[in-house]
Amino acid sequence: MSKSPLLSLPGAVPAEGPDEGVAGHYGDLFREQRALADGTGFVDLSHRGVLTVSGEDRLAWLHLLITQHVEQLPAHHATEALVLTAHGHIEHALYLVDDGTTTWIHVEPGTQGALLAYLESMKFFYKVEAADASEQYAVVYLPAGAITAVPEGWAVRETSYGRDVFVPRAELESFAAGAGRPIGSLSLEALRIEAHRPRLGLETDHRTIPHELGWLETAVHLQKGCYRGQETVARVHNLGKPPRRLVFLHLDGSEVKLPPHGSPVRIASEGEESRQIGFVTSSARHWELGPIALALVKRNTAADATLLADTTVASQEIVVAP
């Protein structure tokens, strides 16, 4: 995906890593975070992949392939889902809504091609048409409470924490001009980490299962079967013993540098040379909480243990119960 035209807005500083192509911030990170928390402004997510699925069988067909129950998904009702491997490992994360005729999906940047290839391979006799619409549509995030008007007929995925608007790319700049203050992806990341919401490619690696991240509550329907990896989901849920668990970290604010993705996590009392019990998945500076992070640690790590995230002391908050 090429760079967003909104990078030409005053103060825009390009993001790095998985959000490359849009603005990371516009010159005042903490004020942007506070504005977002207060329900104002918008975030350019035009680097994300967009897929559409049309045809009369679309919901029944998707129901067989993903972890969520969507066979009778009401129009305009937002949900999220996963595609798993045969062994139950997370392969794709889908954020979707159906408008009555088309299912709209947005996914992590660069993953839409592989997801589309998988969907195409599973079409068989179903009356469906899946397409990569990333060149035609861009995603813009509006926080909960934002009063920005969305033109009639546009697809909108509305959740408790905001709206994902599927904007025709030809109208991206004009829509942004009327959406208030531009806010960078770093602010949205800080609020995502605060809310303990996992993100594919950051909180996941090649062996992550949904139970480890709390995705059972939001992206997996435990009363449905008929999807790849379902046996692993059921078995681990019944045993109650996923190998790892997601934790929220309050980092020591005296450290200048945030521990980057992949930094080792250890038990603080055992020192920096002790064995690794996990890794940092995401970190950010929050306008109220200070430096924070998410980490994936071994399930049996004591819930009251003080941890070391790289070299930074961190207290943990339970996200997934041991």
Side-chain angles (χ1 to χ4, degrees), residues 174-304:
S174 60
F175 180 72
R181 177 177 187 159
I183 294 170
S185 62
L186 287 174
S187 292
L188 187 59
E189 277 294 279
L191 270 58
R192 176 187 71 81
I193 294 169
E194 176 194 14
H196 309 162
R197 293 196 299 271
R199 183 174 175 185
L200 184 79
L202 293 176
E203 276 61 58
T204 66
D205 59 17
H206 66 284
R207 59 192 179 97
T208 307
I209 58 176
H211 318 64
E212 298 176 322
L213 304 182
W215 249 330
L216 285 188
E217 287 74 20
T218 60
V220 178
H221 196 287
L222 291 170
Q223 274 68 57
K224 70 168 290 245
C226 302
Y227 62 88
R228 191 173 67 179
Q230 186 267 339
E231 296 84 358
T232 298
V233 170
R235 182 173 65 252
V236 177
H237 176 67
N238 291 330
L239 292 174
K241 293 183 178 181
R244 302 176 296 182
R245 61 184 180 89
L246 189 69
V247 296
F248 177 78
L249 301 180
H250 292 274
L251 302 170
D252 178 6
S254 64
E255 292 285 344
V256 175
K257 186 179 179 182
L258 288 170
H261 172 78
S263 297
V265 174
R266 298 180 169 87
I267 304 295
S269 60
E270 297 176 3
E272 294 181 22
E273 302 305 318
S274 63
R275 64 186 177 89
Q276 183 173 338
I277 53 108
F279 66 95
V280 173
T281 59
S282 303
S283 59
R285 297 192 186 278
H286 191 278
W287 68 283
E288 268 190 323
L289 302 177
I292 56 175
L294 292 171
L296 204 55
V297 300
K298 290 185 176 179
R299 177 178 55 84
N300 59 2
T301 301
D304 60 352

Side-chain angles (χ1 to χ4, degrees), residues 106-121:
H106 70 81
V107 296
E108 286 296 325
T111 65
Q112 64 268 27
L115 176 57
L116 180 61
Y118 171 65
L119 295 178
E120 288 286 349
S121 73

